[in-house]
Amino acid sequence: QSLLTQPPSVSAAPGQKVTISCSGTSSNIGSNHVSWYQQFPGTAPKLLIYENNKRPSGIPDRFSGSKSGTSATLGITGLQTGDEADYYCGAWDNSLINGMFGGGTKLTVL
Amino acid sequence: QVQLVQSGAEVKKPGASVKVSCKTSGYTFTDSYVHWVRQAPGQGLEWVGRINPNGGGTNYAQKFQGRVTLSRDTFMRTVYMEVRSDDTAVYYCARGLPGGFDPWGQGTLVTVSS
């Protein structure tokens, strides 16, 4: 299974900032847009960031995305307990002609 | 608004095939790919394949080649995924946009049990 690389877990206190990294290769992140998804247990993933750094309507500006080379980062500021969820990065891979996701990062707000 | 509504949960014996539907609304059906994503219990997201409703062209992840078939009914604005499933998982459909998948269907649990 091809995966983008994410840390399994991150944690921070309420009100603080956290970043989640996503690492890939030249054929996926290096060549295509990165997206980020938020998933709560038992529910479908929800798009948080698309085209590397754009937020869909309704997503607070506490969520931000960036990309550099073959890596991307999701940033969340002003952490709230309601942000506790799993976060996934995604990108298209030109070599595999395949969608790809990271393994997911579980965010804990202490 | 844009919606993708999937068919209900299924229980299948190992090696049996199941066909899951994904009915779309709120946008021009032929303008966007529809992707399918699998999530096994306690696991991450796994891309299965995609279909272009405009023409029916498909791409599959290598792992699912030969086990999954995607099809569509343009009149019904519905995409189908037939999968020979050997393990329990939730399958999601999602509309493909430049740079992301949005929205997602609610998910269909396929339980494999002998």
Side-chain angles (χ1 to χ4, degrees):
Chain A
Q1 179 180 345
S2 301
L3 287 176
L4 306 175
T5 302
Q6 296 181 234
S9 64
V10 295
S11 61
Q16 298 300 303
K17 174 182 177 178
V18 72
T19 59
I20 298 173
S21 61
C22 175
S23 178
T25 68
S26 58
S27 63
N28 43 66
I29 292 179
S31 305
N32 296 292
H33 293 305
V34 176
S35 52
W36 290 90
Y37 305 88
Q38 178 189 58
Q39 186 182 35
F40 296 106
T43 69
K46 176 183 175 182
L47 180 67
L48 273 185
I49 297 289
Y50 68 101
E51 291 184 9
N52 305 325
N53 55 18
K54 297 178 180 177
R55 284 176 287 105
S57 173
I59 302 300
D61 58 8
R62 299 189 298 108
F63 295 90
S64 64
S66 64
K67 184 183 110 168
S68 177
T70 59
S71 295
T73 302
L74 173 70
I76 311 173
T77 59
L79 276 172
Q80 302 171 2
T81 55
D83 295 331
E84 285 201 338
D86 293 322
Y87 293 84
Y88 295 89
C89 60
W92 187 255
D93 189 288
N94 293 339
S95 295
L96 297 174
I97 312 178
N98 226 140
M100 302 183 72
F101 292 99
T105 299
K106 183 175 182 61
L107 169 63
T108 301
V109 180
L110 303 167
Chain B
Q1 76 279 25
V2 178
Q3 280 191 304
L4 280 70
V5 178
Q6 299 181 225
S7 51
E10 302 264 10
V11 180
K12 293 292 179 181
K13 295 192 184 304
S17 288
V18 61
K19 195 169 188 177
V20 179
S21 66
C22 173
K23 184 168 179 60
T24 71
S25 61
Y27 70 99
T28 301
F29 180 64
T30 51
D31 277 357
S32 303
Y33 280 83
V34 174
H35 297 251
W36 289 86
V37 176
R38 188 181 95 139
Q39 188 169 38
Q43 303 300 308
L45 304 176
E46 187 174 23
W47 187 83
V48 173
R50 68 174 182 176
I51 184 167
N52 182 354
N54 184 9
T58 56
N59 299 101
Y60 301 102
Q62 186 171 9
K63 175 179 179 177
F64 296 100
Q65 289 272 4
R67 290 178 51 199
V68 171
T69 302
L70 301 181
S71 59
R72 94 284 190 221
D73 180 328
T74 305
F75 180 76
M76 295 297 292
R77 303 174 51 91
T78 300
V79 170
Y80 301 93
M81 180 197 67
E82 186 166 15
V83 57
R84 189 189 76 247
S85 190
D86 293 320
D87 48 10
T88 296
V90 175
Y91 292 86
Y92 296 101
C93 61
R95 183 180 69 158
L97 297 176
F101 302 144
D102 183 61
W104 294 56
Q106 82 276 20
T108 297
L109 173 63
V110 177
T111 300
V112 177
S113 174
S114 55

